[in-house]
Amino acid sequence: MDKKELDQRIAELNAERERLSGELDKARIEAREAMIAGKKPGGTAAALAERIAIVDDALAELQDRSRGAAESAERNNRRRRAEAALDATSKRAKLAAEVDDALNALTSSWDAYADALRKDVGQVSGAGGDLTAVERALTNNRAAEPLVKALIQSGGVKLARTFGIDTPIRERHAISLVDAEGRVAESLRVELLRIKASSPQPYVSREAQAELEKMEATR
């Protein structure tokens, strides 16, 4: 049975128990009156009590199964969410690689341009050229910190400061977008292992736990 069927059967047995309880109350009253009248009471009350006990046992078993089905469904949902997120992360990593490549290309081009500008600035200024446009700097007030980190990773603090980005980030905090997405992917892989470690299947749980411990040891 799936959880819906289990819950439906639980509801049916609860209704059955309520009905039997009403009949038991009535049978006990009849048995009491028989005893008062000096008659031998029938066995209806005892039979009903036994039937209720059986229903209670069945209810307990069904409730255990329902809880197990709910836990299994939750694990499956978590697994699906983690797998979907991991797939999306993999796709983003490909885009991140393109951004990183572009940033590396930008660094090379910028260094050549900056060197040429430094060499030519006197000549251009002396000739009456307006250097205002190339002297201006843009700031982003740390609004794109992941990109700033990737920028520092590819070009160092010098390039970030050339763009007028005021940030406390130093080169030791630099990280490429591909590496940043790699950390996201690693966290999702850990989540998948945690889900498997909670599985009621011993071999699945043991393998996942061993992998988690291996990952922890290599950090």
Side-chain angles (χ1 to χ4, degrees):
M1 290 184 182
D2 59 22
K3 189 173 187 307
K4 182 178 180 181
E5 292 172 330
L6 288 168
D7 289 344
Q8 181 179 350
R9 186 58 185 144
I10 287 171
E12 291 171 352
L13 284 180
N14 277 324
E16 174 71 3
R17 192 188 192 287
E18 184 176 353
R19 183 186 66 79
L20 291 172
S21 294
E23 292 184 7
L24 178 58
D25 289 342
K26 182 179 178 181
R28 283 173 173 167
I29 292 173
E30 292 175 350
R32 184 192 63 191
E33 293 301 321
M35 291 289 290
I36 292 172
K39 300 177 181 178
K40 182 179 179 180
T44 304
L48 286 169
E50 177 64 18
R51 178 64 184 273
I52 289 174
I54 294 172
V55 170
D56 286 342
D57 286 344
L59 278 170
E61 174 63 23
L62 286 171
Q63 287 164 351
D64 284 344
R65 293 184 186 181
S66 179
R67 282 190 293 269
E71 291 170 0
S72 177
E74 175 59 20
R75 282 194 302 272
N76 288 335
N77 286 336
R78 288 172 58 198
R79 174 182 56 77
R80 283 191 291 267
R81 289 195 298 269
E83 288 175 344
L86 184 58
D87 181 62
T89 297
S90 176
K91 293 176 181 177
R92 291 200 315 275
K94 294 177 182 178
L95 296 174
E98 295 178 5
V99 174
D100 287 336
D101 289 344
L103 287 173
N104 287 321
L106 174 61
T107 298
S108 177
S109 297
W110 174 260
D111 285 343
Y113 172 75
D115 287 342
L117 181 60
R118 279 191 293 269
K119 292 177 182 178
D120 298 344
V121 64
Q123 179 183 356
V124 174
S125 178
D130 184 2
L131 294 171
T132 303
V134 295
E135 290 174 344
R136 289 175 180 169
L138 299 176
T139 60
N140 68 356
N141 297 320
R142 298 177 64 196
E145 189 167 285
L147 183 58
V148 173
K149 290 181 178 180
L151 182 64
I152 294 174
Q153 171 70 19
S154 64
V157 174
K158 179 180 71 174
L159 182 57
R161 289 176 177 167
T162 299
F163 283 140
I165 298 172
D166 183 16
T167 171
I169 299 173
R170 297 296 180 262
E171 284 180 300
R172 68 178 183 273
H173 296 140
I175 182 172
S176 72
L177 293 179
V178 167
D179 289 339
E181 290 289 356
R183 293 182 183 181
V184 176
E186 182 182 14
S187 70
L188 291 167
R189 293 189 185 98
V190 169
E191 171 63 2
L192 281 171
L193 287 173
R194 286 174 178 164
I195 294 169
K196 292 180 180 178
S198 68
S199 171
Q201 300 178 26
Y203 73 95
V204 173
S205 177
R206 281 196 302 269
E207 287 183 357
Q209 189 61 43
E211 188 64 22
L212 282 171
E213 292 172 358
K214 181 179 177 181
M215 292 178 69
E216 187 65 28
T218 57
R219 287 181 180 176

